[in-house]
Amino acid sequence: MFTGDLEAIDQIRNDAINVREPHISGVRKLLAYTAQLVWMSGKFPIDIGVDFTWYPALGYNTQRPISQSNLKFELANVVYNLASLYSQLASSAVRTTGAGLKSACNYFCLSAGVISFLRATIIPELRLAPPEDMDNMSLESLEHLLLAQAQECFWQKAVMDGLKDSSVARLAAKVSDFYIQAGEFGIKSEAISSEWIHHMTAKHHHFAAAAQFRAACEALERRKYGEEVARLRDSLGCVNEALKEGKWISKTVLSGLQGLKSMVQESLKRSEKDNDLIYLNPVPDKSELKSIERATMVSLKVPKELPDSASVLGDHSEYGQPLFAKLVPYAVHVAASIYAERRDRLVNTSIIGEFEILTTKLHEFLQSLNLPGSLQAIEKPLGLPPALISHAEEIRQQDGINLLKRSVNDINKLRKNDLATFHEGVEVLKCESEDDDRARLKYGTDQWTRPPSKDAACKLYAQVREIEGYLQSAQSSDELVKAKLKGCESLLALLGGTDQELEEFVPSSRRAVLTTKVGREVATLRACLDEVGRLESRRRRKIQAVREKAKADDINTAILVEAARLEREYPMQKIEPAQFEGLFEQCLVKYDTELKILLKEQEEQNQLLRRLDVANKDFLDARAGDSSSNAREQALQKLEGAFLKYREVVANLDGGRKFYNDLAKIVGRFRDECKSFVYQRRIEAAQMESDVASAMSSLCISQSSSLNQQRMQEKQQLPYDSKAPTEKPLTAPVPTRATATPTGGVWDPEMGIKFGGSTGTNPTWAAHG
């Protein structure tokens, strides 16, 4: 049914992940796939069961793939690539014309907006730790870096158009702010390379120097010669700070800085000479200089297709039709499960559970009155009462005591299987954690950088504690049921035996002559007990009826109708289970009748118990002084209590069997999730060990080469030196990343500061699938 949709989404994904060249057509391909992913997130669960594999764009692990069965992970990487593409389009724009600068600025703002949308909207819904190049600090750094480059385009346009020095200074000052903010976030990131951080630091000081230089020119125009000197000095200081980064920045940026330094030095030499010989204005301290006002000309731009991706899909849309349109949204399945859970909780707890509580109270009250044993002993002083024979027959037909023992054994097997499955998952986690700790101890935390097992699988460890709580609670309940069974086992065996054995257990009493008063009270009490029997019989039928009603209560059709209405009235809104709350309330109203019946029956039982209590007191008063049937009463009452306990234990064992069957699904899913987690961690560990081994091999080769060179030099110096040279300790090599250092431009005295060549290169990146 969905073969065509599957083929279509596969093609759309291939088109999106194979965008390599910075061309505007790639934007449409990425947005088309993004829209389909957002639409599909309402149809499928987030853990869709398909592994999506991507390579990080930044950091030390760009050659190590990351695989996740997570729709939001796929969406995050596609949106990340969209931001990368916008950045590449900006960098490829020709920035020697006003139109080219405008286009580059727009693309940089779009790229920053996409990064902001990714950070604020998609990453929080990921439900797992993001890759290191998508953590908050990395994305914040990229966002500010892109805004810095966008603002730089405005500054460059202002220089080209020959705007006033004050305007250019304000633009340059804001560029400097953006760069330093990007650098500060980059320092806190694990993915931003040191080369990028040095580049951003150099650009920050460079533009701070440019801003002060332009402010000095403005001061000269206003004939504030002392301020001119102070600002030129500060500009020179900023240039010198930028030149400290010269070891890590490109030759183009370094050349531009040196050109700016020469110009500032010449202007400072001239201004100091003029001020010392002619104007004699006091030179203010740097702290006394008025801060340069900032002119922010850029802002985040989020493509309209991202916040409302589903709205771009349709019959006549350039992004195509929404796929899997006929598939029932995943929220519908969740809604059906939620309703079933609420219905079962209402029926089993609030209705059936309350009925059973009433029955338990009724039996406890009868036991406290020693009924029906005391009445049966009077009514039938010889032989077995009909009610006792009925109870015994029921137990024999069900194979009473053997049934209970088989049920106990079945529950023990279920519990044992659940424990074995649970312990298998826990043992897998434990072994993986021990392996991870050994590797961390072997390689050190500097090289073994991944999070410990308990941090990486915090949800699984939380499930361990939760399931342990279930098992402990269940074990306590099992022990209680076993204690009940043990307490009445001998009596149940007697009830399940022959009538002769029962007659031997129940002693006969002498046939007493009943007075008129005693006979009347016996009849009254028997009528009350018969009414109790009828009440219990009606209650069992009501419980069975409400169970059948709940079993037939299927609202899937109603949910589908409501989902269709929501899709029709709110086509661009994602369907959530919470939107069906009104439907749930309407459907659960049908059980209000049973709740009213429960309240009515509770009142009827209370009235019946009051009449029963009065009738029993009158019965005892009429028999005052007659103890001839006490032994028979006690025997009959014990057997009656054992029968009631039998029914209670049967219900408990049925509940226990259902509990362990449900728990089997939970622990089975837990074990499978543990195995999947460990499998991924072992693949990751193998890759990390390979990387560490490669790094150590390179280090050994480098150190060996360095030692050989040093020894050759020592041999050449030995004939001429009176003392043997002292060896210096080897310096550990600093790990660097194979990331191209962003390049800048050359200082032009006529144009101010100019970063980049004719096309203006800037830091760009790209994730690839």
Side-chain angles (χ1 to χ4, degrees):
M1 181 177 181
F2 298 105
T3 303
D5 290 339
L6 291 170
E7 293 175 351
I9 194 63
D10 186 55
Q11 183 60 50
I12 293 172
R13 183 179 194 270
N14 286 333
D15 292 342
I17 66 175
N18 287 313
V19 173
R20 293 289 185 265
E21 299 298 325
H23 192 273
I24 192 64
S25 62
V27 173
R28 192 198 67 79
K29 295 177 181 179
L30 288 167
L31 285 175
Y33 187 42
T34 298
Q36 294 291 353
L37 286 175
V38 173
W39 168 259
M40 289 168 57
S41 64
K43 298 284 187 178
F44 296 93
I46 187 172
D47 51 343
I48 191 172
V50 177
D51 286 335
F52 299 104
T53 302
W54 290 86
Y55 286 80
L58 303 173
Y60 291 97
N61 303 311
T62 55
Q63 301 302 317
R64 182 185 302 161
I66 301 176
S67 294
Q68 294 289 346
S69 175
N70 188 308
L71 266 180
K72 294 296 182 181
F73 176 74
E74 173 82 345
L75 178 61
N77 281 281
V78 174
V79 172
Y80 193 96
N81 267 15
L82 178 63
S84 170
L85 179 58
Y86 277 130
S87 174
Q88 292 172 352
L89 288 170
S91 299
S92 62
V94 179
R95 282 182 272 175
T96 56
T97 65
L101 286 170
K102 182 178 179 181
S103 176
C105 179
N106 181 58
Y107 283 134
F108 277 131
C109 289
L110 284 169
S111 182
V114 172
I115 289 292
S116 176
F117 181 81
L118 171 64
R119 176 178 56 82
T121 305
I122 299 177
I123 295 300
E125 297 179 353
L126 206 54
R127 297 188 188 176
L128 48 84
E132 63 179 17
D133 59 343
M134 287 191 199
D135 67 3
N136 193 64
M137 292 297 104
S138 299
L139 295 180
E140 286 275 15
S141 179
L142 292 175
E143 183 181 321
H144 285 84
L145 176 60
L146 292 162
L147 289 175
Q149 294 174 100
Q151 179 81 7
E152 188 177 341
C153 292
F154 264 98
W155 168 86
Q156 191 172 349
K157 181 70 165 58
V159 173
M160 289 175 59
D161 294 346
L163 297 187
K164 293 189 300 183
D165 289 321
S166 59
S167 299
V168 177
R170 292 170 63 192
L171 291 170
K174 189 58 185 178
V175 176
S176 177
D177 291 347
F178 278 131
Y179 273 120
I180 191 58
Q181 289 169 346
E184 288 173 351
F185 283 116
I187 291 173
K188 300 175 185 178
S189 165
E190 295 291 335
I192 304 299
S193 67
S194 58
E195 290 88 347
W196 280 39
I197 295 173
H198 286 301
H199 170 84
M200 290 183 281
T201 303
K203 295 279 255 184
H204 158 64
H205 292 302
H206 200 163
F207 273 96
Q212 288 292 13
F213 177 75
R214 289 288 183 164
C217 294
E218 182 192 10
L220 177 61
E221 292 179 2
R222 292 186 288 111
R223 298 183 180 182
K224 294 185 177 182
Y225 305 108
E227 179 182 341
E228 178 196 12
V229 173
R231 291 195 181 278
L232 287 172
R233 288 175 179 174
D234 187 39
S235 178
L236 183 60
C238 291
V239 171
N240 288 332
E241 287 295 321
L243 286 172
K244 291 180 181 179
E245 309 291 340
K247 182 178 178 182
W248 295 278
I249 59 180
S250 67
K251 293 181 180 180
T252 308
V253 176
L254 183 61
S255 176
L257 283 169
Q258 291 171 342
L260 175 59
K261 181 177 181 180
S262 299
M263 189 172 187
V264 172
Q265 284 178 329
E266 292 176 4
S267 297
L268 179 60
K269 182 178 179 181
R270 186 263 312 154
S271 64
E272 286 180 334
K273 180 178 179 181
D274 291 348
N275 191 54
D276 290 343
L277 298 178
I278 303 173
Y279 307 115
L280 303 177
N281 284 359
V283 178
D285 188 70
K286 178 181 178 180
S287 60
E288 298 175 1
L289 292 174
K290 182 182 178 182
S291 177
I292 300 174
E293 294 182 5
R294 269 56 174 170
T296 305
M297 304 302 296
V298 297
S299 60
L300 300 171
K301 290 185 179 181
V302 181
K304 63 179 182 179
E305 294 86 353
L306 277 185
D308 195 12
S309 298
S311 64
V312 304
L313 299 174
D315 294 337
H316 305 291
S317 170
E318 62 174 324
Y319 299 105
Q321 294 181 346
L323 301 177
F324 305 99
K326 295 182 179 179
L327 183 66
V328 176
Y330 179 65
V332 171
H333 297 284
V334 176
S337 300
I338 292 174
Y339 176 77
E341 180 183 350
R342 291 187 185 178
R343 178 201 63 207
D344 293 344
R345 184 167 63 247
L346 174 64
V347 170
N348 295 327
T349 303
S350 301
I351 299 177
I352 295 178
E354 292 298 323
F355 273 130
E356 291 176 346
I357 289 174
L358 287 177
T359 302
T360 301
K361 290 180 178 179
L362 178 61
H363 291 161
E364 289 175 351
F365 185 76
L366 291 175
Q367 287 286 325
S368 68
L369 299 180
N370 203 28
L371 291 174
S374 60
L375 184 61
Q376 291 173 343
I378 295 296
E379 291 177 328
K380 192 172 178 59
L382 300 174
L384 300 176
L388 179 60
I389 295 174
S390 175
H391 294 342
E393 186 63 27
E394 180 179 337
I395 292 178
R396 290 166 189 161
Q397 289 179 354
Q398 296 177 357
D399 197 17
I401 190 68
N402 293 325
L403 170 67
L404 296 182
K405 289 182 177 180
R406 286 196 301 271
S407 296
V408 169
N409 290 333
D410 290 344
I411 288 176
N412 287 337
K413 290 178 181 178
L414 290 173
R415 175 180 173 81
K416 185 177 180 181
N417 291 336
D418 289 352
L419 279 172
T421 304
F422 174 62
H423 288 154
E424 183 180 355
V426 172
E427 189 64 25
V428 166
L429 284 180
K430 180 181 176 182
C431 292
E432 193 282 327
S433 179
E434 292 174 351
D435 292 343
D436 184 64
D437 291 340
R438 281 193 294 269
R440 187 171 285 102
L441 184 63
K442 178 180 179 180
Y443 298 110
T445 55
D446 291 339
Q447 293 178 314
W448 201 258
T449 56
R450 69 174 183 173
S453 300
K454 290 188 177 181
D455 294 338
C458 55
K459 291 184 179 180
L460 290 177
Y461 281 93
Q463 285 187 47
V464 170
R465 295 187 293 272
E466 185 178 359
I467 294 174
E468 285 177 343
Y470 292 156
L471 290 170
Q472 290 175 0
S473 176
Q475 185 175 10
S476 300
S477 299
D478 293 346
E479 295 299 327
L480 181 60
V481 172
K482 289 178 182 178
K484 290 180 183 179
L485 177 58
K486 186 176 181 181
C488 64
E489 185 174 357
S490 59
L491 292 174
L492 291 178
L494 189 63
L495 284 169
T498 62
D499 288 347
Q500 183 179 356
E501 292 173 337
L502 283 174
E503 290 176 353
E504 291 176 357
F505 179 78
V506 179
S508 299
S509 60
R510 64 181 177 84
R511 184 179 297 275
V513 178
L514 299 179
T515 64
T516 304
K517 181 179 180 181
V518 172
R520 186 173 59 251
E521 299 305 333
V522 166
T524 302
L525 185 57
R526 168 51 59 191
C528 290
L529 286 177
D530 290 343
E531 191 173 349
V532 168
R534 289 191 294 273
L535 175 67
E536 288 191 76
S537 179
R538 290 196 306 270
R539 186 170 294 168
R540 284 193 292 270
R541 290 195 296 271
K542 289 175 184 178
I543 290 175
Q544 184 61 30
V546 74
R547 280 177 175 158
E548 292 177 356
K549 182 177 180 179
K551 185 177 181 180
D553 185 11
D554 184 358
I555 67 165
N556 288 338
T557 302
I559 292 177
L560 290 173
V561 171
E562 180 66 9
R565 183 189 69 81
L566 292 172
E567 288 183 336
R568 184 171 59 255
E569 296 182 5
Y570 310 99
M572 300 307 135
Q573 182 177 343
K574 179 182 177 181
I575 295 180
E576 299 289 349
Q579 294 173 284
F580 297 92
E581 287 294 335
L583 178 63
F584 295 162
E585 293 177 2
Q586 294 175 11
C587 293
L588 291 175
V589 167
K590 65 171 67 78
Y591 296 100
D592 288 352
T593 304
E594 282 72 17
L595 292 172
K596 292 178 182 178
I597 291 174
L598 175 64
L599 294 175
K600 182 180 178 180
E601 186 139 335
Q602 184 176 6
E603 181 60 29
E604 290 179 358
Q605 176 170 308
N606 291 336
Q607 293 176 3
L608 177 59
L609 293 181
R610 285 193 292 269
R611 293 199 304 271
L612 188 63
D613 188 36
V614 172
N616 186 65
K617 287 180 180 179
D618 293 342
F619 169 71
L620 294 177
D621 290 342
R623 291 186 61 237
D626 183 6
S627 59
S628 59
S629 60
N630 285 353
R632 183 175 176 82
E633 288 178 16
Q634 293 176 2
L636 291 173
Q637 196 60 32
K638 285 181 180 179
L639 292 173
E640 180 70 20
F643 176 73
L644 295 177
K645 192 68 68 176
Y646 167 77
R647 283 187 169 178
E648 183 180 343
V649 171
V650 168
N652 293 153
L653 291 174
D654 287 342
R657 185 183 295 106
K658 183 178 184 302
F659 169 81
Y660 283 114
N661 282 327
D662 293 340
L663 185 62
K665 300 176 183 177
I666 296 174
V667 295
R669 186 164 56 248
F670 165 76
R671 178 195 58 190
D672 294 342
E673 290 177 356
C674 290
K675 288 183 176 180
S676 176
F677 167 75
V678 171
Y679 176 74
Q680 295 292 338
R681 290 274 286 186
R682 284 177 177 169
I683 292 176
E684 182 183 22
Q687 183 64 44
M688 289 183 69
E689 288 181 340
S690 176
D691 293 345
V692 171
S694 299
M696 294 299 294
S697 176
S698 301
L699 176 61
C700 292
I701 294 173
S702 175
Q703 288 181 342
S704 176
S705 176
S706 176
L707 286 170
N708 289 335
Q709 292 178 3
Q710 188 173 359
R711 288 168 181 164
M712 289 295 293
Q713 293 175 359
E714 291 173 359
K715 289 179 180 180
Q716 294 174 359
Q717 294 174 359
L718 278 174
Y720 308 102
D721 294 341
S722 58
K723 296 182 179 179
T726 303
E727 288 190 357
K728 296 182 179 180
L730 291 175
T731 304
V734 179
T736 59
R737 310 175 192 186
T739 304
T741 304
T743 59
V746 181
W747 174 258
D748 184 345
E750 298 298 326
M751 296 286 291
I753 302 176
K754 184 177 181 182
F755 294 86
S758 60
T759 59
T761 57
N762 286 284
T764 59
W765 73 101
H768 50 285

